[in-house]
Amino acid sequence: MSSSDRSQAVGVKTYEVRTYGCQMNVHDSERLSGLLEDAGYVRAPEGSDGDADVVVFNTCAVRENADNKLYGNLGHLAPMKTKRPGMQIAVGGCLAQKDRDTIVKRAPWVDVVFGTHNIGKLPVLLERARVQEEAQVEIAESLEAFPSTLPTRRESAYAAWVSISVGCNNTCTFCIVPALRGKEKDRRPGDILAEVEALVAEGVSEITLLGQNVNAYGSDIGDREAFSKLLRACGTIDGLERVRFTSPHPRDFTDDVIAAMAETPNAMPQLHMPLQSGSDTVLKAMRRSYRQERYLGIIEKVRAAIPHAAITTDIIVGFPGETEEDFEQTLHVVREARFAQAFTFQYSKRPGTPAATMENQIPKEVVQARYERLVALQEEISWDENKKQLGRTFELMVAEGEGRKDGATHRLSGRAPDNRLVHFTKPEQEVRPGDVVTVEITYAAPHHLLAEGPVLDVRRTRAGAAWEKRNAAEAAKPAGVLLGLPKIGVPAPLPVATGSGCGCD
């Protein structure tokens, strides 16, 4: 008996949400899940692979071959839907915002298409499609309601995203996100802090402030220091142990933000700041409103204020017109900045972006060779920077599902304050995700650290208790299936990866 048959036997409809793309999409999918559960659906069992009453695709228009992957997945579901009358398929997110009617033309078995601005309409559109027996395509041109006002089904009991703004005012020539997400719209500080306080009351001990350009927060409400004030205000919330944010833009990275990071006790010593290129010529062609000197100046100030800060970045290799000299400038910045990790992307055309029609597109073999050189350099630096952690003592927040080999190695995994991933020896005392352990680092690899000795201390937390309570409650419900990007909550450090993206990735 399929999961759908089992659910219908007890009068319950199931859903599955598949997520692609950036943290903003992941957070939106938590809202979509919350909306569906509020409407009476339950999450389909893990491994259902489309065997649900409603399957929702939350799409990305930035990732390479995003449209081909979507239509391939939709094609896989077509025969399943034919065999099971009543099944519904919905497509939302950035690709839906961009392609609109094209989706239903190419995949006429899709029931609902909705955009980035009206995710709150999903249950209504599904019901309308069911009653009218025809596809519903509804794409709002501007934000109807801030996503954080919608119900949510968070993937972590101990850590949470908190969206502080949506949209982007930049015009980077490689990025289509502003056209799909719209102009920046900021939430009121009081609403943000009220959400953070409510999350902490539920047991959350770590939050990540989220925005397309998170430190541009305040431009919509007329306060250039609004973001630093928000960081400091988070520092006054009792029970909130860790505050992070992603992703900032170098243009908006001001000294008051650095001071707030250094002076706010629960602001973590971690910064992800997209570089994209180290060449002033390429940065100008990208319409990135900073230059190499400005970027390195920010890094220097952050390191002076927060000596142990781990800094990560995004870099695009092979942007149209990039010369060998331009690429060498990127390598220079990587050597100077000494990033803990980097997301490295090979440039590829994105329809609808100015860069897609630029002259001097770089041959694939040249891009590949440069990419390999950059990866090799960053791997060396990442390893060197991790070796500097040997002998240091860290407080780790125990994570859920971070270490793929934890079961075989009898280890657990956690995140250091600077967000480095640390695998540690499982202590005799029970520890739960959200609890905090103290360990000493004994081994370094390019992308993780090991603490092979005994755990020095275990601190059971409200967050761990919240995880335990939630797990007990979930055990009484039908098993769940994770979203497409499984590590909601404590965001993973950004690894070296192939693909193409923008600063909001």
Side-chain angles (χ1 to χ4, degrees):
M1 182 183 291
S2 72
S3 66
S4 179
D5 292 337
R6 287 192 301 270
S7 67
Q8 290 182 4
V10 296
V12 176
K13 288 189 175 183
T14 58
Y15 76 91
E16 177 185 348
V17 177
R18 300 186 187 182
T19 311
Y20 307 89
C22 67
Q23 297 97 326
M24 194 69 74
N25 268 19
V26 174
H27 188 46
D28 283 349
S29 285
E30 291 186 321
R31 304 295 176 187
L32 293 170
S33 296
L35 284 161
L36 290 170
E37 293 194 4
D38 209 41
Y41 293 84
V42 298
R43 183 170 293 197
E46 188 171 358
S48 296
D49 192 26
D51 185 20
D53 295 296
V54 171
V55 179
V56 183
F57 292 86
N58 191 8
T59 63
C60 172
V62 174
R63 305 289 176 168
E64 190 169 9
N65 297 319
D67 53 347
N68 292 335
K69 291 175 183 176
L70 171 65
Y71 293 115
N73 286 320
L74 291 175
H76 174 71
L77 291 184
M80 299 177 68
K81 186 175 181 186
T82 301
K83 294 177 183 177
R84 189 170 68 244
M87 177 185 178
Q88 291 185 297
I89 300 171
V91 179
C94 288
L95 193 62
Q97 188 82 19
K98 182 171 77 74
D99 285 359
R100 304 179 182 229
D101 296 327
T102 304
I103 293 173
V104 174
K105 290 178 181 177
R106 292 185 60 177
W109 54 93
V110 169
D111 299 276
V112 171
V113 179
F114 62 101
T116 60
H117 298 311
N118 61 330
I119 64 174
K121 289 288 186 69
L122 176 60
V124 172
L125 294 172
L126 287 169
E127 181 63 13
R128 192 186 301 165
R130 185 187 65 79
V131 172
Q132 297 182 4
E133 297 184 343
E134 64 179 8
Q136 301 296 309
V137 179
E138 188 169 308
I139 307 291
E141 296 301 330
S142 59
L143 191 67
E144 294 185 347
F146 207 94
S148 292
T149 64
L150 302 173
T152 186
R153 201 277 187 195
R154 290 186 295 107
E155 292 303 312
S156 172
Y158 55 90
W161 306 103
V162 174
S163 184
I164 69 171
S165 64
V166 294
C168 177
N169 293 337
N170 292 321
T171 57
C172 300
T173 55
F174 56 80
C175 184
I176 199 170
V177 168
L180 304 178
R181 291 276 181 180
K183 292 292 186 180
E184 180 177 326
K185 184 174 179 60
D186 296 335
R187 291 177 72 190
R188 292 178 60 252
D191 293 342
I192 297 168
L193 293 171
E195 181 180 354
V196 174
E197 289 172 348
L199 289 167
V200 172
E202 293 174 8
V204 168
S205 60
E206 172 169 326
I207 60 107
T208 300
L209 302 174
L210 184 65
Q212 225 76 52
N213 285 317
V214 68
N215 60 323
Y217 176 74
S219 62
D220 183 46
I221 57 179
D223 184 355
R224 285 186 56 82
E225 295 189 352
F227 185 64
S228 62
K229 292 174 183 175
L230 184 62
L231 278 179
R232 292 182 187 277
C234 287
T236 67
I237 297 176
D238 187 40
L240 180 59
E241 296 194 18
R242 296 184 173 191
V243 178
R244 306 184 192 277
F245 58 89
T246 194
S247 291
H249 193 292
R251 181 196 66 183
D252 303 301
F253 213 93
T254 49
D255 290 350
D256 61 295
V257 173
I258 297 173
M261 290 176 65
E263 296 165 9
T264 303
N266 57 4
M268 293 295 97
Q270 174 220 349
L271 172 64
H272 178 74
M273 188 165 64
L275 168 66
Q276 307 303 7
S277 174
S279 162
D280 288 354
T281 301
V282 174
L283 288 171
K284 183 178 180 181
M286 289 178 168
R287 289 188 197 151
R288 300 287 287 180
S289 51
Y290 57 89
R291 298 297 179 257
Q292 179 188 122
E293 182 178 4
R294 159 76 172 155
Y295 188 95
L296 288 175
I298 294 171
I299 300 294
E300 184 178 356
K301 287 180 178 179
V302 170
R303 289 250 161 82
I306 314 167
H308 288 299
I311 300 174
T312 57
T313 196
D314 298 333
I315 300 172
I316 296 174
V317 177
F319 188 80
E322 180 188 73
T323 65
E324 178 62 23
E325 182 180 352
D326 292 325
F327 178 65
E328 287 290 345
Q329 288 299 307
T330 296
L331 297 181
H332 169 71
V333 175
V334 169
R335 293 187 187 100
E336 290 293 311
R338 300 198 63 79
F339 300 114
Q341 297 285 345
F343 250 152
T344 55
F345 299 94
Q346 297 185 38
Y347 172 79
S348 58
K349 293 182 179 180
R350 289 292 174 271
T353 63
T357 58
M358 287 182 176
E359 297 180 353
N360 299 321
Q361 300 282 330
I362 310 300
K364 172 65 177 176
E365 60 273 17
V366 175
V367 177
Q368 181 67 33
R370 289 176 183 170
Y371 171 79
E372 291 174 1
R373 288 162 59 194
L374 174 60
V375 167
L377 174 62
Q378 182 56 54
E379 286 278 301
E380 178 185 335
I381 292 172
S382 294
W383 200 357
D384 285 345
E385 291 302 304
N386 273 357
K387 288 175 182 176
K388 293 178 182 178
Q389 314 310 313
L390 293 175
R392 289 188 65 193
T393 298
F394 283 122
E395 275 198 342
L396 310 179
M397 181 176 290
V398 180
E400 182 176 25
E402 293 268 29
R404 289 175 295 178
K405 300 179 181 179
D406 282 352
T409 58
H410 303 289
R411 293 182 179 129
L412 298 176
S413 298
R415 293 285 172 181
D418 63 10
N419 213 30
R420 282 183 166 91
L421 176 62
V422 181
H423 306 298
F424 62 95
T425 302
K426 188 175 182 179
E428 292 184 7
Q429 181 179 348
E430 179 191 10
V431 292
R432 307 157 300 185
D435 285 339
V436 174
V437 299
T438 304
V439 301
E440 181 180 337
I441 305 302
T442 59
Y443 176 84
H447 303 295
H448 69 269
L449 301 169
L450 291 183
E452 300 163 298
V455 169
L456 303 178
D457 184 58
V458 174
R459 176 163 60 87
R460 291 171 70 82
T461 65
R462 292 170 57 255
W467 177 89
E468 190 171 42
K469 180 179 179 181
R470 176 166 166 169
N471 251 31
E474 289 294 322
K477 297 179 181 179
V481 58
L482 293 176
L483 300 177
L485 292 182
K487 296 186 182 69
I488 316 292
V490 182
L494 300 174
V496 176
T498 59
S500 188
C502 66
C504 61
D505 283 350

